[in-house]
Amino acid sequence: MVHLEFSGTDFDADRAEFIELARSAGLDVVGVIGGKRDRPDAGTYAGSGKVDEIAVTAKVAGAELIIFNHDLSPSQERNLEKRFECRVINRAGLILDIFARRARSHEGKLQVELARLNHMATRLVRGWSHLERQKGGIGLRGGPGETQLEIDRRLLRGRMDTLKKQLETVKSRRAQNRQGRAKSEIPTVSLVGYTNAGKSTLFNVLTGDAAFASNQLFATLDTTMRKVALPSGETAVLADTVGFIRDLPHDLIAAFRATLEESREAELLVHVIDAGDSERGARIEQVEAVLAEIGADEVPRLQVFNKIDLREGEEARIECDAEGIPQRVFLSARSGEGIDLLRTAIAARLYPDLGDEAIVLPVNAAKLRAQLFQLHCVQSETIDKEGSSHLIVRLPYSRLQRLCREAGIELPPRQDPAVH
């Protein structure tokens, strides 16, 4: 593994994450080589002296693969493979390999395959270097190498077009599901965050699900959606999405765009942060950068600082802004400490005007009465002599107002919103 230091980078943190990525891919790391450079070498990225050092170290260790924690160009990969006489990949290739191993659903496999083909398209020439020579002479323009490359490119383009069409079908299906949730007025809350921050563990605790969760990078890739009950009596759909990471390959972001749209279309993003991570400030910035790239930077945020059980003296709590709106929740998904606080904070963000409302429905408003009972929001009911229903309902005031307006009933204004 090769990790070079350039000015303006956090060498130690990046190196530790690089090694963890390799282990997550199931690789046996036999050596890590570092060094400092002002700028990358155009031909080999590392420079001739460092390349010689890597070649000797790899030969002594019996390495079968050399990974650069950097973005290598196709020509740089070719030059390095000739020098090392073994396979060379860059950071993007390593992440793509991890995604290929972890994808389980049909959609996830389609997305990963498209990303790998995008990555492979610029590196096809390596497989046909023995056919690079072209025949000379009149009427002999082009050679077998050119023909084989064109065939491969055509096959790649055809497969990529097929995958894109299949993913468009998935995108359309997701859009229909979102429309269905919008009609039933069930909001979506999307869990986002740096990989290994504890999203899947938190998802399992909130929903009672058994999604795979492990202390490793990219433990889960496939988006899982489940209903979660809130203390207000309302429900929301919780989505567990793929974790982000520094320098996430653009091919992956493009391929997973259909999945990541769940974050862009959500009513609330719960940004899960590892409270014990010394680099959490940088991690937050990196997650925000990816959210901006997929167009989710305008979606409201609720920050959740997870793993407080690993920090001495840290207590579960909610931190609000000057208007009393929850902004941050400190908890431990593993121990369950602070989970109820998170439910309360989510309810407060999704339903800021939720409260118990008293309404009177005349006899001819039976349809509205049935709707309210179907929503399970009726707290009590009494019938007067005229047959009118006196209800206490727990609903967001704006939603109750709209239901009443559609039924032709005027809802009196709230007398004192503060009591709610």
Side-chain angles (χ1 to χ4, degrees):
M1 303 185 70
V2 182
H3 176 60
L4 304 178
E5 181 179 6
F6 296 90
S7 59
T9 61
D10 190 328
F11 181 77
D12 292 333
D14 290 349
R15 182 179 182 274
E17 182 179 271
F18 182 38
I19 295 172
E20 187 61 31
L21 275 172
R23 289 175 178 160
S24 295
L27 299 177
D28 180 19
V29 180
V30 297
V32 182
I33 294 179
K36 291 186 178 182
R37 286 190 65 85
D38 293 330
R39 64 182 67 87
D41 179 79
T44 62
Y45 198 91
S48 57
K50 184 59 66 175
V51 167
D52 291 340
E53 179 188 344
I54 297 169
V56 172
T57 305
K59 187 173 183 179
V60 171
E64 299 174 355
L65 172 68
I66 296 175
I67 310 173
F68 277 68
N69 192 25
H70 307 283
D71 187 16
L72 299 178
S73 68
S75 61
Q76 287 170 336
E77 284 189 16
R78 289 196 299 272
N79 295 337
L80 291 169
E81 286 187 345
K82 289 178 182 177
R83 178 67 182 85
F84 300 147
E85 298 181 346
C86 70
R87 189 176 172 218
V88 175
I89 65 173
N90 60 9
R91 177 187 175 88
L94 175 60
I95 295 175
L96 285 168
D97 184 77
I98 295 173
F99 272 57
R101 290 168 183 263
R102 302 276 167 78
R104 292 291 179 267
S105 69
H106 175 64
E107 178 189 353
K109 290 176 180 178
L110 289 177
Q111 292 167 327
V112 171
E113 185 181 356
L114 179 58
R116 295 188 80 179
L117 291 178
N118 270 320
H119 186 71
M120 189 190 304
T122 59
R123 289 158 169 79
L124 259 183
V125 68
R126 290 186 298 167
W128 301 100
S129 56
H130 62 294
L131 298 176
E132 283 178 352
R133 294 182 183 175
Q134 296 197 0
K135 296 178 182 179
I138 298 175
L140 296 175
R141 210 175 83 194
E146 183 181 27
T147 302
Q148 186 61 62
L149 283 173
E150 286 303 316
I151 291 173
D152 283 353
R153 288 193 180 110
R154 195 178 310 115
L155 290 172
L156 267 181
R157 285 195 296 268
R159 179 58 181 162
M160 289 167 68
D161 288 342
T162 300
L163 290 172
K164 288 175 181 177
K165 289 177 182 177
Q166 290 176 330
L167 286 172
E168 280 299 317
T169 302
V170 171
K171 181 179 179 181
S172 175
R173 192 182 308 126
R174 284 187 179 278
Q176 290 175 355
N177 291 339
R178 281 196 296 270
Q179 288 176 359
R181 292 197 298 271
K183 287 181 180 178
S184 61
E185 299 186 339
I186 300 178
T188 299
V189 178
S190 182
L191 295 178
V192 299
Y194 208 78
T195 183
N196 206 28
K199 295 187 305 303
S200 294
T201 302
L202 184 60
F203 178 86
N204 290 342
V205 173
L206 286 170
T207 63
D209 202 51
F212 179 70
S214 178
N215 185 27
Q216 59 182 5
L217 303 183
F218 301 118
T220 52
L221 296 182
D222 302 313
T223 297
T224 308
M225 304 185 75
R226 297 287 185 273
K227 282 189 177 181
V228 58
L230 301 176
S232 59
E234 297 285 323
T235 59
V237 171
L238 190 65
D240 183 19
T241 60
V242 62
F244 301 151
I245 196 169
R246 178 181 64 83
D247 298 332
L248 190 66
H250 288 281
D251 290 338
L252 273 178
I253 295 176
F256 276 75
R257 192 168 293 277
T259 299
L260 295 173
E261 278 184 357
E262 294 296 346
S263 298
R264 191 178 68 191
E265 301 296 331
E267 279 77 15
L268 178 68
L269 295 181
V270 173
H271 182 175
V272 184
I273 302 160
D274 184 348
D277 188 351
S278 59
E279 299 296 319
R280 69 184 189 186
R283 304 284 186 252
I284 292 172
E285 291 180 3
Q286 286 147 7
V287 170
E288 292 294 338
V290 177
L291 291 174
E293 188 166 346
I294 64 173
D297 48 331
E298 297 298 324
V299 182
R301 307 276 202 283
L302 174 64
Q303 290 186 332
V304 172
F305 289 84
N306 188 24
K307 305 184 183 181
I308 63 169
D309 54 313
L310 302 179
R311 290 174 59 86
E312 188 175 350
E314 193 78 78
E315 295 181 352
R317 64 189 186 277
I318 296 178
E319 292 183 353
C320 301
D321 62 14
E323 298 178 356
I325 300 173
Q327 301 294 323
R328 289 169 292 279
V329 180
F330 292 77
L331 55 76
S332 170
R334 187 173 66 173
S335 70
E337 183 183 5
I339 295 298
D340 289 340
L341 295 178
L342 176 57
R343 292 180 188 273
T344 300
I346 292 175
R349 292 297 299 268
L350 292 177
Y351 305 106
D353 57 349
L354 179 70
D356 290 343
E357 309 293 340
I359 61 171
V360 179
L361 300 183
V363 177
N364 60 0
K367 183 178 179 181
L368 174 57
R369 178 181 176 276
Q371 279 182 302
L372 294 174
F373 274 96
Q374 286 175 355
L375 292 172
H376 305 287
C377 65
V378 178
Q379 306 298 302
S380 66
E381 180 186 28
T382 57
I383 309 295
D384 62 21
K385 295 179 180 179
E386 286 75 26
S388 298
S389 297
H390 294 252
L391 302 176
I392 302 295
V393 297
R394 173 161 290 188
L395 268 183
Y397 184 79
S398 55
R399 184 176 178 186
L400 179 60
Q401 194 175 41
R402 180 173 55 76
L403 290 172
C404 289
R405 186 168 56 248
E406 291 173 353
I409 296 174
E410 185 177 350
L411 182 67
R414 268 183 162 175
Q415 310 223 339
D416 186 7
V419 300
H420 302 278

